[in-house]
Amino acid sequence: MNILALSGNVKRPSRTASLVNVAANRLRQRVGGDVQSIELVDAAPVLFRALRADQLDTEGKAIIAAVEGADIIVVGSPVYRASYSGALKHLFDLVDYRALAGKRVILAATGGTLLHGLMLEHQLRPLFGFFNALTVPTAIYALEADFADHELTNPAVLERIDRAVEEVATITPALDIGATAAPGKHSGLAA
């Protein structure tokens, strides 16, 4: 299971990157697999060398391949002017429109006020709807006050992360159902 922790942060340290990484690591603990992390503070300068996917260099193609090749994406962005970061938008302008169909996605964001949390439903969820990805119902939003030294500390936000992780686990097929069946017993699936 390839889990991508994709953070739209354009500065470091980043509360958004911390939130995304906590969610991705809890997801890895729940469903297994490997976590790859991409922060746009590092990736954006590479991606902005190209305005179209056919202009990407080898480094840029590797970033887009990581996004397109992920089984599950935990994506987060700081809220900028009532939307996700422009760097994140540019990344998704370079992703093939068919590449994310059926992929499971956890949405996350950080912002300055509770009202900014609406960005998840009005901006980020429709983006993944365009790609035909499966966003789980629970989105994760955190305020600056939910962190201490850029580390997530609010138990209520951690509970939302756990709920989103369980939602992903519910819609994620087992990698090898037969391997989990006891010896001499079938998995319960018709052959």
Side-chain angles (χ1 to χ4, degrees):
M1 192 65 56
N2 296 318
I3 300 168
L4 178 64
L6 178 59
S7 181
N9 61 299
V10 293
K11 65 180 181 135
R12 189 177 279 125
S14 167
R15 285 179 285 277
T16 303
S18 176
L19 176 65
V20 167
N21 287 323
V22 167
N25 286 321
R26 285 184 176 219
L27 181 61
R28 179 190 51 76
Q29 291 169 357
R30 177 64 178 86
V31 301
D34 298 309
V35 174
Q36 179 180 2
S37 180
I38 295 175
E39 292 184 40
L40 287 187
V41 67
D42 302 316
V46 173
L47 297 175
F48 279 127
R49 293 180 207 152
L51 296 177
R52 298 185 324 264
D54 63 346
Q55 297 173 331
L56 288 165
D57 60 17
T58 303
E59 193 177 6
K61 287 178 184 176
I63 293 167
I64 298 304
V67 174
E68 294 177 349
D71 297 308
I72 304 170
I73 301 172
V74 179
V75 61
S77 178
V79 178
Y80 287 121
R81 300 183 187 211
S83 191
Y84 45 89
S85 68
L88 190 63
K89 171 67 169 111
H90 184 64
L91 179 149
F92 283 107
D93 286 344
L94 301 171
V95 170
D96 185 284
Y97 71 93
R98 301 162 291 202
L100 303 183
K103 307 277 176 127
R104 279 86 63 209
V105 179
I106 294 176
L107 304 175
T110 57
T113 75
L114 288 173
L115 294 175
H116 288 154
L118 292 172
M119 181 278 290
L120 289 159
E121 301 303 328
H122 294 279
Q123 301 290 318
L124 207 51
R125 196 175 301 276
L127 173 68
F128 287 94
F130 165 80
F131 283 106
N132 289 313
L134 302 172
T135 56
V136 295
T138 300
I140 305 155
Y141 182 71
L143 296 167
E144 188 173 328
D146 296 326
F147 296 85
D149 296 323
H150 293 85
E151 296 298 321
L152 184 62
T153 57
N154 185 330
V157 177
L158 291 167
E159 286 177 23
R160 287 190 69 78
I161 290 172
D162 290 339
R163 186 178 339 148
V165 164
E166 282 306 311
E167 291 167 354
V168 169
T170 299
I171 62 171
T172 301
L175 295 177
D176 186 2
I177 293 172
T180 61
K185 300 215 177 192
H186 63 82
S187 65
L189 299 176

